[in-house]
Amino acid sequence: MQVIETTIPDIKIIEPSVFGDERGFFMETWHQQRFDQQVAGKPTSFVQDNHSKSAQGILRGLHYQTQNTQGKLVRVVSGEVFDVAVDLRQGSPTFGQWEGIYLSAENKRQLWIPEGFAHGFYVTSEEAEFVYKCTDFYNPTGEVTLQWDDSELGIQWPLKADPLLSEKDKVGKSLTELRNLGLLF
């Protein structure tokens, strides 16, 4: 496993060791001790795994929870997405900054997004299956949506057309609105 630093120090790209031949491949997708030592830098417990499937052009996010805050270890098992995390920790030197990387079944990369970040992804392939581990349980009463196209963030999504959004993602709030509402970390 190789851990790659990003422009936001707490977000990590993980490239697993992949062993393949004409029969297929094997890779270790999770190892508690290595993750704690090499990625999170502290003991981390995951309590929930999620799996979603989305068609090309769908954008999900940017989501986070103000209660039961979640760290997420994300990866793609089919297709490709452009994955984005936004730092919402008000005391952080990278507050309001974002990191975006391509995750795909082909590159097998994983992304660690700790608590305190909004998260979303845009499907660039015909369809994609996205799986992720969470450090806390989903709490719909604490869920917040950050506006995916907030000009203050300036996220450079690789859009080919207007993205397909859920109703809750269409009405996401700007970073300024969330700050004024006291809904940041």
Side-chain angles (χ1 to χ4, degrees):
M1 167 174 90
Q2 178 182 0
V3 179
I4 302 168
E5 300 293 327
T6 67
T7 58
I8 301 175
D10 294 328
I11 295 177
K12 310 282 190 206
I13 300 168
I14 302 163
E15 285 188 344
S17 298
V18 180
F19 305 95
D21 59 27
E22 67 280 353
R23 300 169 297 151
F25 71 89
F26 170 85
M27 70 179 198
E28 185 176 83
T29 61
W30 168 248
H31 188 288
Q32 180 78 52
Q33 187 177 27
R34 286 190 190 118
F35 183 84
D36 290 350
Q37 292 173 355
Q38 297 176 25
V39 179
K42 64 179 184 176
T44 305
S45 297
F46 291 104
V47 298
Q48 181 176 325
D49 281 6
N50 298 321
H51 186 148
S52 70
K53 183 176 182 178
S54 303
Q56 186 172 41
I58 290 177
L59 192 151
R60 297 186 184 268
L62 298 159
H63 304 142
Y64 66 98
Q65 293 181 179
T66 56
Q67 303 160 20
N68 304 92
T69 57
Q70 296 177 315
K72 296 177 181 176
L73 179 61
V74 303
R75 66 188 178 104
V76 170
V77 295
S78 173
E80 179 186 74
V81 306
F82 183 70
D83 198 80
V84 171
V86 179
D87 190 349
L88 298 180
R89 303 167 300 168
Q90 293 186 84
S92 168
T94 57
F95 172 76
Q97 293 180 27
W98 61 276
E99 183 71 43
I101 70 158
Y102 286 93
L103 301 175
S104 68
E106 186 178 318
N107 71 22
K108 296 177 179 44
R109 285 180 157 187
Q110 299 178 44
L111 188 65
W112 166 240
I113 306 160
E115 295 87 349
F117 288 79
H119 172 254
F121 63 89
Y122 173 72
V123 180
T124 58
S125 56
E126 188 174 316
E127 63 182 25
E129 290 194 47
F130 191 86
V131 297
Y132 55 106
K133 303 175 104 36
C134 300
T135 60
D136 208 338
F137 298 104
Y138 174 67
N139 179 352
T141 62
E143 185 173 41
V144 179
T145 301
L146 173 60
Q147 185 180 335
W148 69 273
D149 61 350
D150 183 351
S151 60
E152 186 176 353
L153 300 174
I155 298 172
Q156 297 172 5
W157 298 97
L159 302 177
K160 297 177 182 167
D162 289 338
L164 301 169
L165 304 167
S166 69
E167 291 306 312
K168 75 177 176 183
D169 292 346
K170 289 178 184 176
V171 296
K173 300 205 179 320
S174 71
L175 185 62
T176 298
E177 289 174 303
L178 294 171
R179 184 184 298 119
N180 292 339
L181 292 168
L183 294 175
L184 300 175
F185 301 99

